[in-house]
Amino acid sequence: MFENAPLNPPDAIFGLIEKFKKDSNPNKINLSVGVYQDESGKTPVMNAVYEAEKKLLASRGTKSYLPIDGSPGYRDAIGRLILGDDLFDNDGVHSCTAQTPGGTVSLRLSGEILKRVFNVSAIWMSNPTWANHTKIFATAGLEVKKYDYLDDSGTGIGFDKVLASLQAATAGEAILLHAVCHNPTGVDPTPDQWKQLCDLIVEKGLIPVFDFAYQGFGESVDADAAPIRNFVAAGHEAIICNSFSKNFGLYGERVGGITAVSKTAEASAAMHSQIKLMIRTMYSNPPLHGALIVNTVLNDADLRANWLAELSEVRERIIQLRGEFVSQLTERLPGQDFNYINLQRGMFSYSGLSKAQVDALQAEHSIYALGSGRINIAGINSSNMKQLCDAIASTY
Ligand code: LMR
């Protein structure tokens, strides 16, 4: 029977990492997967994480099961981080949070809830979006519809097109929004555009699902949450999928959460119960270690301050790398305007490189980027910057 299973092609992102690992060129450069790399090309364990792990080891707690939805301390810490203390403590805002193994499971759970509990038929997402978004929601049984996102240059937002294509959305459909640091483009709406987008979502009766995988990579943990907080503060319901892969560097520990904001306490209790049912029937309860780390850091004033400072350093370094990258490219290609790279935010840049250029970079220079032209800015460092810019210039 199994010979009838169709062969699925390698994943667009993880398949590329495999290829990169096999490349024997000592000067190979990995700009593919969204993983932060420091100046030495390593993905470091943050100090706050290391200190929390030492505390956990010393206290020799337990490896028993977590509750289905994770520990109360962790869940509240997520609620506060996303919504801010004012909304979280506001009696009129009814939210529930469950721990999930990373942002991916959180997204999948929201797809399952939308489909199974509310029979939502379709979800709108930006074109382009993270390749896995499409697969996650399609696998959950939703039709995926795309709204235009970029302008004609393909490197900045085409907001008129966003609004125009969403005119076709109908009440009861869902919409997926990247709360900050859009993946794959790095192109975010302005605050005013966010307001218009949220007004349209309310006017059309769409159900928003915010993917919040890069909190702290845009401007600050609070500023980056503004699109969500403004929407919730205006009294609307939303699902928020967050991840600690990037902002805690806890990629392989699989730590995240799903938060639902409802209009009434009863609705919130029902949503919470549905999320728990979905978790119990899929993986029973979440993994322990990563959530203990996050819980320890977020609930300890010193560790939290250290974490925020480290996260700021990461953000500032990426911004500096963008500036240096743009100036080195401009030196080599004075006729080209690369400033859009400075305007994009977070780890990624829709670099403007064509598929042919990306292919040439890989074949001739062992430089790995996604076929869409997405590059991970955090894969650049002062040792590979010159080599990278020379190689890119040779493809023009
Ligand atoms: C990425 O977009 O590269 C990351 O979010 C990693 C992943 O899971 O694809």
Side-chain angles (χ1 to χ4, degrees):
M1 187 169 78
F2 295 165
E3 71 265 21
N4 295 325
L7 185 67
N8 196 45
D11 183 80
I13 297 175
F14 276 72
L16 206 54
I17 311 175
E18 293 310 313
K19 214 170 166 194
F20 174 81
K21 281 186 190 151
K22 286 188 193 137
D23 190 327
S24 59
N25 182 343
N27 296 320
K28 61 187 177 179
I29 301 177
N30 182 10
L31 306 181
S32 63
V33 67
V35 170
Y36 179 76
Q37 298 168 49
D38 65 14
E39 191 47 32
S40 67
K42 288 217 183 77
T43 300
V45 175
M46 292 176 104
N47 284 321
V49 167
Y50 183 62
E51 292 304 323
E53 286 190 307
K54 282 203 288 195
K55 274 188 161 196
L56 290 167
L57 188 65
S59 72
R60 194 167 180 166
T62 175
K63 297 290 184 189
S64 184
Y65 292 127
L66 277 171
I68 293 172
D69 52 353
S71 76
Y74 175 84
R75 296 192 287 110
D76 282 4
I78 291 185
R80 288 187 184 281
L81 198 62
I82 293 174
L83 298 176
D85 289 338
D86 288 351
L87 284 175
F88 188 78
D89 291 329
N90 184 328
D91 288 343
V93 175
H94 306 280
S95 71
C96 63
T97 298
Q99 184 193 331
T100 60
T104 299
V105 177
S106 169
L107 290 161
R108 178 63 189 268
L109 280 170
S110 45
E112 296 293 333
I113 302 266
L114 291 173
K115 183 71 195 171
R116 288 166 197 264
V117 182
F118 300 110
N119 202 21
V120 172
S121 60
I123 184 162
W124 288 83
M125 46 186 85
S126 62
N127 182 21
T129 193
W130 182 45
N132 213 19
H133 277 152
T134 317
K135 293 183 185 164
I136 289 168
F137 286 95
T139 308
L142 283 95
E143 183 190 346
V144 172
K145 297 183 176 178
K146 297 278 176 85
Y147 57 90
D148 295 333
Y149 192 65
L150 297 175
D151 61 15
D152 292 341
S153 74
T155 53
I157 196 156
F159 196 65
D160 290 347
K161 293 200 216 171
V162 174
L163 296 182
S165 47
L166 282 173
Q167 289 308 321
T170 54
E173 292 180 328
I175 179 167
L176 180 68
L177 303 150
H178 301 231
V180 72
C181 302
H182 184 272
N183 179 4
T185 64
V187 173
D188 287 338
T190 63
D192 179 58
Q193 289 168 343
W194 266 115
K195 174 147 191 352
Q196 292 182 56
L197 190 54
C198 289
D199 287 349
L200 184 73
I201 288 168
V202 175
E203 186 191 309
K204 287 263 174 198
L206 306 179
I207 307 163
V209 178
F210 288 92
D211 184 352
F212 203 13
Y214 291 90
Q215 186 173 11
F217 276 78
E219 197 180 327
S220 70
V221 290
D222 286 319
D224 294 355
I228 297 170
R229 292 182 189 175
N230 290 339
F231 195 76
V232 169
H236 307 302
E237 295 176 329
I239 295 176
I240 304 119
C241 302
N242 82 291
S243 165
F244 293 117
S245 295
K246 325 282 173 171
N247 56 12
F248 269 82
L250 285 171
Y251 307 90
E253 297 289 0
R254 313 307 298 136
V255 219
I258 181 170
T259 297
V261 180
S262 309
K263 284 194 178 156
T264 64
E266 293 73 25
S268 186
M271 281 299 274
H272 196 176
S273 73
Q274 290 295 339
I275 292 169
K276 283 166 71 173
L277 172 65
M278 223 60 83
I279 291 173
R280 180 69 171 139
T281 53
M282 276 208 259
Y283 54 90
S284 193
N285 48 70
L288 183 65
H289 187 66
L292 279 176
I293 296 170
V294 171
N295 197 2
T296 304
V297 172
L298 291 182
N299 289 304
D300 176 302
D302 288 343
L303 287 181
R304 187 189 177 95
N306 292 348
W307 167 65
L308 286 172
E310 283 180 274
L311 183 54
S312 298
E313 272 175 37
V314 164
R315 178 178 60 244
E316 293 307 321
R317 179 164 170 268
I318 295 175
I319 292 170
Q320 274 176 11
L321 281 168
R322 284 184 186 275
E324 184 59 22
F325 184 47
V326 168
S327 75
Q328 294 232 11
L329 285 176
T330 310
E331 255 172 45
R332 288 163 178 78
L333 299 159
Q336 300 276 336
D337 180 4
F338 289 103
N339 194 45
Y340 55 84
I341 296 172
N342 279 321
L343 303 177
Q344 298 165 345
R345 304 200 297 173
M347 252 188 227
F348 302 121
S349 166
Y350 235 34
S351 62
L353 292 169
S354 66
K355 174 82 172 60
Q357 286 175 297
V358 168
D359 289 346
L361 286 172
Q362 193 185 121
E364 292 158 32
H365 304 275
S366 296
I367 293 171
Y368 290 74
L370 300 197
S372 61
R374 185 193 89 170
I375 58 170
N376 175 13
I377 296 286
I380 311 177
N381 56 52
S382 50
S383 313
N384 65 22
M385 177 77 81
K386 182 178 175 310
Q387 180 200 339
L388 173 65
C389 294
D390 286 345
I392 289 177
S394 77
T395 66
Y396 273 85

